[in-house]
């Protein structure tokens, strides 16, 4: 009862802050003090220990047992402690202590360590790309709140759950229905890095005593690294065995694709932003890695994000033109902008596209909007790219379509 009263009080506060605008000055930015405090903690094992000999941080009251084996993922680690406790270390963000059902978190934990109390069976899934991973470990029934309506789901089991009422819409990530989350006793909000653009929303959710987990799988440089995040969710939801089996199946698919001989044809993967800038992937990203595995070359070599470790890079049209104009193939990222499906649509964005080699030769493709929810099946997109590069049958493709 006391916890529920606290949530109601926080809900009223959140509503007041929402009506009042931004709350206190600078509330939308991460606290410099808290960031400094996190950096001063000795909990960051990423730099202190090698990957091959990485031991979990010492936690008073807990006994370290083992570290999860990872093959491709570099953006997280999972540490196991006695009696079922687990530490999820997301290198770009925070650490999360998973506390088994019926047990309590140790006292004296650092303030920046987020506690996830099992069972986690009333989850708000705002990171839509992760639903396929949860589905792959047969844990859809633990997701009770969705960040998109039923019509927005391409994961069939998620759509069915919403249509049956087992999962309900609780507002998109930037405008969640706080009252629905509180009344439904939400115990975890899973967010993509998009939440970083609306930090006040994250603060409001956490003020309601609902922990927020931010997914950084898109920061992985290898396509299987992104898929390997299924192991993290397996640990979070006590589905490790199912996660291991599924990942091994996907790893075998990639192994079979490694035999593709490189065509040396150059490929650009991009979309046009609302402000007219062009958004591409940095060179050390899983999309360029997919292109290489498929038998192509990513046109942008040594491209980095100067401002952060984010996977996307914004370029001016002039900067984009200088490299992409001579590329053999263009792939338009329709998962972000689904309005561009023809050459005329593309040229409407900028008349400079008519000068591109790929446009002149009719080698322009686009991805369907369902791709961003297919984190579990990386092999299909790589096969699509290989078929594109080798003039294969478009009817055999899953995600790519040719612009007319």
């Amino acid at each position: 009862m006391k916890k529920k009263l606290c949530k109601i009080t926080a809900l009223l506060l959140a509503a007041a802050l929402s009506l009042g605008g931004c709350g206190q000055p600078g509330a939308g930015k991460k606290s410099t003090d808290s960031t400094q405090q996190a950096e001063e903690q000795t909990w960051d094992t990423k730099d202190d220990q090698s990957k091959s000999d990485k031991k979990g941080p010492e936690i008073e009251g807990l006994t370290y047992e083992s570290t999860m084996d990872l093959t491709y993922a570099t953006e997280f680690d999972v540490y196991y402690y006695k009696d079922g406790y687990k530490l999820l270390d997301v290198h770009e963000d925070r650490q999360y202590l998973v506390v088994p059902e019926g047990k309590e978190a140790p006292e004296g934990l650092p303030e920046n360590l987020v506690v996830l109390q099992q069972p986690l069976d009333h989850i708000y899934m705002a990171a839509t790309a992760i639903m396929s991973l949860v589905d792959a470990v047969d844990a859809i029934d633990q997701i009770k709140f969705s960040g998109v309506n039923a019509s927005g789901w391409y994961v069939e089991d998620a759509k069915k759950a919403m249509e049956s009422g087992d999962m309900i819409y609780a507002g998109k990530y930037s405008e969640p229905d706080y009252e629905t989350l509180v009344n439904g006793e939400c115990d975890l909000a899973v967010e993509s890095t998009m939440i970083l653009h609306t930090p006040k929303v994250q603060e409001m959710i956490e003020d309601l005593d609902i922990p927020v987990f931010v997914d950084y799988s898109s920061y992985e440089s290898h396509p299987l690294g992104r898929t390997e995040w299924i192991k993290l969710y397996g640990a979070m939801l006590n589905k490790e065995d199912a996660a291991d089996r599924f990942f091994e199946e996907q790893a075998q698919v990639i192994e079979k694709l490694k035999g593709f001989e490189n065509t040396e044809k150059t490929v650009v993967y991009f979309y046009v932003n609302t402000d007219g800038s062009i958004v591409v992937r940095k060179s050390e990203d899983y999309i360029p890695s997919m292109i290489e595995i498929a038998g192509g070359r990513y046109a942008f070599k040594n491209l980095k994000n100067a401002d952060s470790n984010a996977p996307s890079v914004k370029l001016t049209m002039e900067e984009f033109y200088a490299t992409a104009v001579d590329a053999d193939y263009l792939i338009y990222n329709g998962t972000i902008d689904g309005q561009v499906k023809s050459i005329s649509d593309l040229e409407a964005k900028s008349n400079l596209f008519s000068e591109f080699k790929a446009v002149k030769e009719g080698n322009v493709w686009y991805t369907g909007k369902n791709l961003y929810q297919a984190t579990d099946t990386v092999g299909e997109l790589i096969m699509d790219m290989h078929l594109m590069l080798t003039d294969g049958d478009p009817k055999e493709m899953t995600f790519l379509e040719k612009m007319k």
Side-chain angles (χ1 to χ4, degrees), residues 341-348 353 358-359 362-364 403-404:
K341 296 183 178 180
S342 67
I343 298 295
S344 59
D345 289 339
L346 185 61
E347 292 177 340
F353 279 113
V359 172
N363 289 324
V364 185
M403 285 192 184
K404 298 179 180 179

Side-chain angles (χ1 to χ4, degrees), residues 36 47 60-61 63 66 69 74 128 136 145 211 235 346 353 356 371 395:
Q36 183 177 356
D47 297 325
E60 187 174 351
T63 302
S66 62
D69 289 330
T74 60
T128 49
F145 310 98
L346 185 61
F353 279 113
F356 281 55
L371 175 62
K395 294 180 181 179

Side-chain angles (χ1 to χ4, degrees), residues 349-364:
K349 296 283 186 179
S350 172
N351 54 17
L352 286 176
F353 279 113
S354 62
E355 301 177 18
F356 281 55
K357 175 185 177 182
V359 172
K360 292 178 179 179
E361 296 180 355
N363 289 324
V364 185

Side-chain angles (χ1 to χ4, degrees), residues 253-310:
V253 172
I254 293 292
E255 287 298 322
K256 293 177 182 177
L257 299 176
K258 279 186 176 179
F260 290 158
E261 182 178 351
N262 204 289
T263 64
E264 302 300 330
K265 294 177 182 178
T266 52
V267 182
V268 172
Y269 187 89
F270 75 104
Y271 72 90
V272 182
N273 210 351
T274 53
D275 61 6
S277 62
I278 312 297
V279 181
V280 298
R281 312 292 292 201
K282 66 181 183 181
S283 300
E284 294 182 357
D285 175 68
Y286 70 90
I287 292 293
S289 180
M290 283 182 166
I291 292 170
E292 293 286 331
I293 295 172
R297 300 294 186 198
Y298 188 54
F300 289 91
K301 300 177 181 178
N302 302 317
L303 182 64
K304 299 180 180 180
N305 194 321
D307 299 324
S308 69
N309 195 32

Side-chain angles (χ1 to χ4, degrees), residues 183-196:
N183 291 340
E185 300 183 349
C186 176
D187 49 33
L188 175 65
V190 178
E191 303 276 356
S192 72
T193 53
M194 292 296 290
I195 195 67
L196 303 180

Side-chain angles (χ1 to χ4, degrees), residues 67 84 146 160 162 183 198:
T67 300
S146 168
K160 290 178 180 177
M162 293 199 73
N183 291 340
T198 56

